[in-house]
Amino acid sequence: MQKAKVGVLISGRGSNMAALLYAAKADDCPYEIVLVAANDPDAPGLALAAAEGIATFGQSHKGMKRAEFDAVIDAQLRAAGADYVALAGYMRLLSPEFVAGWENRMLNIHPSLLPRYKGLDTHQRAIDAGDAFAGCSVHIVTAELDDGPVLGQTPVAILPGDTADSLAARILIAEHQLYSRTLAAFVTRERQPDWLLNKVREIALAQPQAEETLSHGMPCFGIAKGKKFAWVSRDHHGDGITALLVKTTAPDEQASLIEMDPDIYYRPAYFGDEWIGIRLDRGENDWDHLATRIRASWRQVAPKKLLGLMDIAEEF
Ligand code: GAR
């Protein structure tokens, strides 16, 4: 299994970073930590990460413009080969450039049940409000502070006599469990059958006169009142495979594709020689290429009249 590469940003203690790091030691953890960086060279978490053999980077932000400092961190993350960023107690506002550069690739953990209590002092604010539960949230980072889609939350009961510190200590236990689980699910979401089906659906239904139906238990896409041009096979007969089935464009294409890459391409049972199975569950999918294949398959089955209209439209 190819592991997703994660860079973690901290400002101090780094206990959430440690939780991510220890979880990553399991063979079946889908991510690995490639860098721990801090905006304070003395952040205790850096020493912990270094002792675990993880690359670290620490530099103070003092005296630097926000965007300038973020560019330094960004360069370190990219040099380390990070695909994702996990903010773990990184107490800095981020520049819009930095956020945009990691759009949909950066997560944060926050000690409240978002959207409640964004910002600081979350534990005391929950106690003062008389809430029965506080908790923690992991969310995708967007330009707004502690905003962005929430991916996971854990409620933690507030006990009579709780202080901000006693509550924070219990929430921290929940944080340590929530973060690695949520990060693991996030980096593998593009391998989940539902995510893959939705992606194919988006492309297939963008083709002229396309409609979705269900056939032999498989979602499939065809031209309305016409022929089918794409199927999505999900664990068909318990084979554990998620794949796209499309029509080939030349007589021997099925055999040559399978010969070229037998890990990706296969002959779909009962479909004959004119269809090709393309595995979607192997990790890296080239969606531009897959969209081209879906479009080519659509062209194979489209009535001549519709094709002619499309070609004329495309000329303009
Ligand atoms: C954690 O409780 C984290 O949720 C919080 O800072 C603490 C860092 O502890 N983050 C925020 O408040 C972000 N808005 P740690 O350094 O031991 O992980």
Side-chain angles (χ1 to χ4, degrees), residues 10 36 39 69 71 93 96-97 105 126 157 204 239 247 256 258 262 271 281 284 291 300 302:
I10 62 169
V36 174
N39 60 320
F69 180 75
L93 294 174
E97 296 86 343
R105 304 253 149 199
D239 63 7
K247 271 209 133 177
S256 60
I258 295 170
F271 273 75
D281 52 9
E284 303 277 289
Q300 291 294 105

Side-chain angles (χ1 to χ4, degrees), residues 248-259 273-274 276:
T248 50
T249 51
D252 295 326
E253 202 184 10
Q254 186 196 63
S256 60
L257 286 170
I258 295 170
E259 194 183 307
D273 295 336
E274 293 177 5
I276 187 73

Side-chain angles (χ1 to χ4, degrees), residues 9-19 45 87-92 108-112 117-123 135-137 139 145-146 168 171-172 175-176 179:
L9 303 187
I10 62 169
S11 290
R13 178 177 59 180
S15 73
N16 274 291
M17 175 277 296
L87 305 180
Y90 190 59
M91 300 314 237
R92 284 203 36 89
N108 179 42
I109 186 151
H110 184 73
S112 80
Y117 315 126
K118 298 175 180 181
L120 298 174
D121 240 356
T122 54
H123 309 97
C136 52
S137 311
H139 65 97
L145 176 71
D146 298 330
I171 291 178
L172 197 61
E175 289 186 43
H176 294 165
Y179 209 176

Side-chain angles (χ1 to χ4, degrees), residues 45-163:
L46 287 180
L48 185 151
E52 294 288 352
I54 308 289
T56 60
F57 175 79
Q59 183 180 313
S60 171
H61 58 272
K62 288 189 184 131
M64 286 176 89
K65 291 212 172 81
R66 189 174 301 285
E68 209 182 312
F69 180 75
D70 285 357
V72 171
I73 298 290
D74 187 76
Q76 291 290 328
L77 287 164
R78 304 217 182 256
D83 309 308
Y84 297 90
V85 177
L87 305 180
Y90 190 59
M91 300 314 237
R92 284 203 36 89
L93 294 174
L94 300 167
S95 60
E97 296 86 343
F98 186 83
V99 174
W102 293 96
E103 189 182 7
N104 279 322
R105 304 253 149 199
M106 178 154 56
L107 304 190
N108 179 42
I109 186 151
H110 184 73
S112 80
L113 295 175
L114 289 172
R116 309 198 83 171
Y117 315 126
K118 298 175 180 181
L120 298 174
D121 240 356
T122 54
H123 309 97
Q124 191 61 52
R125 284 154 70 202
I127 293 169
D128 291 348
D131 293 353
F133 284 89
C136 52
S137 311
V138 172
H139 65 97
I140 298 178
V141 176
T142 55
E144 289 285 308
L145 176 71
D146 298 330
D147 209 67
V150 171
L151 301 173
Q153 288 186 317
T154 307
V156 173
I158 299 181
L159 302 181
D162 248 339
T163 62

